[in-house]
Amino acid sequence: MPRPIQATIDIQALRHNLSQIKAAAPDALVWGVVKANAYGHGIERVFEGLRAADGIALLDLAEAERVRQLGWRGPVLLLEGVFETRDLELCSRLNLWHVVHCEAQIDMLAVHKTHQPHRVFLKMNSGMNRLGFAPQAFRAAWTRLNALPQVDEISLMTHFSDADGEKGIAAAMSIFHQYTHDLSGERSLCNSAASLRHAKDLAVRADWIRPGIALYGSSPDFPLHSAQDWGLKPVMSLNANIIAVQHLQAGDTVGYGSAFMADRPMRMGVVACGYADGYPRIAPTGTPVCVDGHRTRTLGRVSMDMLTVDLTDLPHADVGSEVTLWGLPQKSTSQVSPTTGVAIDEVAQAAGTVGYELMCALAARVPVVVKD
């Protein structure tokens, strides 16, 4: 029998989340973002769930080749653009659109020999201070690109640093508008947080939005809003089984470093999941889990291959019981309650990180099942 742990990818949930995002920005075209191997879900696994997207956005040429091999004929956007001149040859062959965020990428285009002009997305640094031209240099970059025979259409884009928080996007939008209001070209502005929180604002209407994390059922502004608040469903669920049960007395300790000490008689389950499977090692005692659909908590330190959960108030739980580490229970039994499982954002918050990291950290050794 294989080790009792499994991740489930729910394609119907992905389709649902895409429709929710489209409803939030009904006038915009939608990039389905699949960078980082579709946020750890697997590009090949999620592809069918993204067919209703208007384009696919990703990070590198290898990912672009994969989506073309899967049969995607629509737009594909390289979010960081090309890294060397010869990359432009593959852009031409695969008909890829690509971001231009620095002078070096314009230099590459200027020496590139092609019979097919490129569609580019010129990026402004409106406050994130990662990639993009400074606002004062943006017009000169647009003018230079516009003069190149290697360039066809120029779209304009930026990325918001605070769309998920109190600061919001007003300052960044003001800068972007100030330096682009009279430039032609489609606009691509909103990430997941901006799409859900601000896309209906007339001031931020864009031709393209770029949802990522929301597609996969995580809230972009947790804990202010949960995924449920936004009408999103978890695409990835991680479930394992209890493989042993221990009975603790007051004063007994659990795991490495004796990080947890029982203050009363307790019943504890040992779960076939650890940090080598992608569960965060730094998740503390009290991180939420579900056992047979009932909420409980972790105890002690997460090990490489195991973690432990509190069964004191769950007398029905035993060896073989399903433990939902995040997402939804997958077994259908009479003992499963109508709870909604454990949001990946709750686990991430307990571990001091974000849902993105947990999704991307799912280990290759975990079996994955796709459910449609």
Side-chain angles (χ1 to χ4, degrees):
M1 176 180 175
R3 183 164 169 261
I5 184 172
Q6 177 179 289
T8 303
I9 307 299
D10 187 338
I11 301 304
Q12 288 288 7
L14 180 59
R15 293 191 183 103
H16 167 84
N17 295 340
L18 178 56
S19 69
Q20 290 292 106
I21 295 164
K22 285 189 167 188
D27 299 326
L29 299 171
V30 179
W31 291 109
V33 180
V34 298
K35 64 179 181 175
N37 196 26
Y39 289 54
H41 293 67
I43 290 175
E44 287 76 10
R45 297 186 192 114
V46 304
F47 179 73
E48 290 299 323
L50 292 174
R51 284 194 177 275
D54 301 290
I56 300 293
L58 37 73
L59 204 65
D60 59 41
L61 292 169
E63 291 176 333
E65 287 184 297
R66 288 163 66 187
V67 298
R68 288 298 191 214
Q69 289 167 359
L70 287 167
W72 181 261
R73 295 293 176 258
V76 174
L77 177 65
L78 296 175
L79 289 167
E80 290 183 358
V82 298
F83 302 102
E84 57 183 353
T85 304
R86 65 178 180 177
D87 292 346
L88 292 168
E89 299 171 8
L90 195 57
C91 288
S92 295
R93 181 161 65 82
L94 296 178
N95 189 25
L96 306 180
W97 301 358
H98 50 98
V99 168
V100 172
H101 61 78
C102 63
E103 290 287 347
Q105 291 175 326
I106 302 180
D107 294 340
M108 294 176 200
L109 278 163
V111 299
H112 175 55
K113 295 180 180 179
T114 181
H115 298 293
Q116 179 181 347
H118 290 245
R119 171 78 176 269
V120 301
F121 280 64
L122 183 62
K123 187 168 189 176
M124 179 188 291
N125 173 15
S126 61
M128 177 74 82
N129 288 315
R130 296 191 314 189
L131 303 181
F133 288 88
Q136 298 83 355
F138 193 79
R139 183 176 298 272
W142 184 92
T143 301
R144 189 178 173 205
L145 281 172
N146 196 46
L148 291 179
Q150 294 92 338
V151 174
D152 182 12
E153 187 173 346
I154 305 171
S155 298
L156 314 178
M157 71 183 296
T158 193
H159 190 49
F160 299 123
S161 59
D162 293 279
D164 58 344
E166 291 184 7
K167 184 177 178 181
I169 65 173
M173 271 306 307
S174 177
I175 292 170
F176 183 80
H177 179 72
Q178 178 183 351
Y179 289 93
T180 65
H181 68 277
D182 60 343
L183 295 179
S184 62
E186 292 183 339
R187 270 67 170 162
S188 177
L189 302 176
C190 295
N191 56 5
S192 287
S195 296
L196 293 174
R197 292 167 61 111
H198 305 290
K200 290 184 178 179
D201 185 340
L202 288 174
V204 295
R205 290 285 174 90
D207 302 287
W208 289 90
I209 59 173
R210 306 187 303 273
I213 195 67
L215 285 173
Y216 303 101
S218 176
S219 172
D221 62 350
F222 185 85
L224 183 62
H225 295 98
S226 69
Q228 191 173 15
D229 290 335
W230 291 121
L232 305 174
K233 297 181 179 180
V235 176
M236 178 191 290
S237 295
L238 179 62
N239 296 277
N241 286 5
I242 292 175
I243 58 174
V245 173
Q246 300 289 346
H247 296 270
L248 307 178
Q249 300 303 314
D252 286 348
T253 60
V254 176
Y256 289 115
S258 299
F260 175 80
M261 179 181 290
D263 61 359
R264 65 191 190 283
M266 298 181 68
R267 191 164 171 265
M268 183 188 75
V270 182
V271 184
C273 179
Y275 61 77
D277 300 297
Y279 196 86
R281 180 182 178 275
I282 60 173
T285 291
T287 301
V289 297
C290 276
V291 177
D292 286 337
H294 298 271
R295 301 265 296 198
T296 185
R297 59 175 179 152
T298 63
L299 298 175
R301 189 175 295 173
V302 176
S303 303
M304 179 181 289
D305 309 306
M306 290 171 278
L307 57 81
T308 50
V309 298
D310 190 353
L311 303 180
T312 306
D313 296 325
L314 302 177
H316 64 277
D318 208 337
V319 171
S321 288
E322 181 188 51
V323 179
T324 301
L325 288 313
W326 61 69
L328 298 174
Q330 298 300 307
K331 290 182 180 178
S332 177
T333 73
S334 59
Q335 294 175 333
V336 172
S337 70
T339 59
T340 55
V342 179
I344 195 169
D345 299 314
E346 295 180 87
V347 181
Q349 183 183 45
T353 185
V354 290
Y356 304 69
E357 184 176 3
L358 301 190
M359 293 176 186
C360 292
L362 184 71
R365 77 178 191 175
V366 177
V368 179
V369 171
V370 178
K371 180 175 72 174
D372 200 343

Coordinates of all heavy atoms in Angstrom, one line a residue, residues 17 21 43 67 96 98 161 170 227 240 245 283 300 305 319 347:
N17 N -13.6 29.6 -9.8 CA -12.8 30.8 -9.4 C -12.5 31.8 -10.6 O -12.6 33.0 -10.4 CB -11.5 30.4 -8.8 CG -11.6 29.6 -7.5 OD1 -12.7 29.7 -6.8 ND2 -10.6 28.9 -7.1
I21 N -13.7 35.8 -10.8 CA -12.8 36.9 -11.1 C -13.4 37.6 -12.3 O -13.3 38.9 -12.4 CB -11.4 36.3 -11.4 CG1 -10.9 35.8 -10.0 CG2 -10.5 37.4 -11.9 CD1 -9.7 34.9 -10.2
I43 N 1.0 22.7 -14.4 CA 0.4 23.3 -15.6 C -0.4 22.3 -16.3 O -1.6 22.6 -16.7 CB 1.5 23.9 -16.5 CG1 2.1 25.2 -15.8 CG2 1.0 24.3 -17.8 CD1 3.3 25.7 -16.6
V67 N 2.7 25.1 -22.5 CA 1.3 25.4 -22.8 C 1.0 25.4 -24.3 O -0.1 25.0 -24.7 CB 0.9 26.8 -22.2 CG1 1.0 26.8 -20.7 CG2 1.7 27.9 -22.8
L96 N 4.9 34.4 -28.8 CA 4.8 34.8 -27.4 C 4.8 36.3 -27.3 O 5.6 37.0 -28.0 CB 5.9 34.2 -26.6 CG 6.2 32.7 -26.7 CD1 7.4 32.4 -25.8 CD2 4.9 32.0 -26.3
H98 N 5.6 39.5 -24.7 CA 6.6 39.5 -23.6 C 6.7 41.0 -23.0 O 6.5 42.0 -23.7 CB 7.9 39.0 -24.0 CG 8.5 39.6 -25.3 ND1 9.4 40.6 -25.3 CD2 8.3 39.2 -26.6 CE1 9.8 40.9 -26.6 NE2 9.1 40.1 -27.4
S161 N 1.9 47.3 -5.5 CA 2.6 46.8 -4.3 C 1.6 46.6 -3.1 O 1.9 45.9 -2.2 CB 3.8 47.7 -4.0 OG 3.3 49.0 -3.7
A170 N -4.4 53.8 -5.2 CA -4.6 55.2 -5.7 C -3.4 55.9 -6.1 O -3.3 56.5 -7.1 CB -5.4 56.0 -4.6
A227 N -11.1 33.5 1.6 CA -11.5 33.1 0.2 C -13.0 32.9 0.1 O -13.6 33.2 -1.0 CB -10.8 31.7 0.0
A240 N -4.1 13.4 4.4 CA -3.3 12.3 4.8 C -4.1 11.5 5.8 O -5.2 11.9 6.2 CB -1.9 12.7 5.3
V245 N -2.0 6.1 17.0 CA -2.7 6.8 18.1 C -1.9 6.7 19.4 O -1.5 5.5 19.7 CB -4.1 6.4 18.2 CG1 -4.7 7.1 19.4 CG2 -4.9 6.7 17.0
A283 N 5.1 25.5 11.4 CA 3.7 25.6 11.9 C 3.7 25.2 13.4 O 4.1 24.1 13.8 CB 2.8 24.7 11.1
G300 N 2.8 20.1 19.0 CA 4.3 19.9 18.9 C 4.9 20.3 17.6 O 4.3 20.9 16.7
D305 N 8.6 13.5 8.2 CA 7.6 12.7 7.6 C 6.3 12.6 8.4 O 5.3 11.9 7.9 CB 8.2 11.2 7.5 CG 9.5 11.2 6.8 OD1 9.6 11.8 5.7 OD2 10.5 10.7 7.4
V319 N -6.8 5.1 13.7 CA -5.9 4.8 12.6 C -6.7 4.7 11.3 O -7.7 4.0 11.3 CB -5.1 3.5 12.9 CG1 -4.3 3.1 11.6 CG2 -4.2 3.7 14.0
V347 N -3.6 28.0 7.5 CA -2.4 27.3 7.8 C -1.2 28.2 7.6 O -0.2 28.3 8.4 CB -2.3 26.0 7.0 CG1 -1.0 25.3 7.3 CG2 -3.5 25.2 7.1

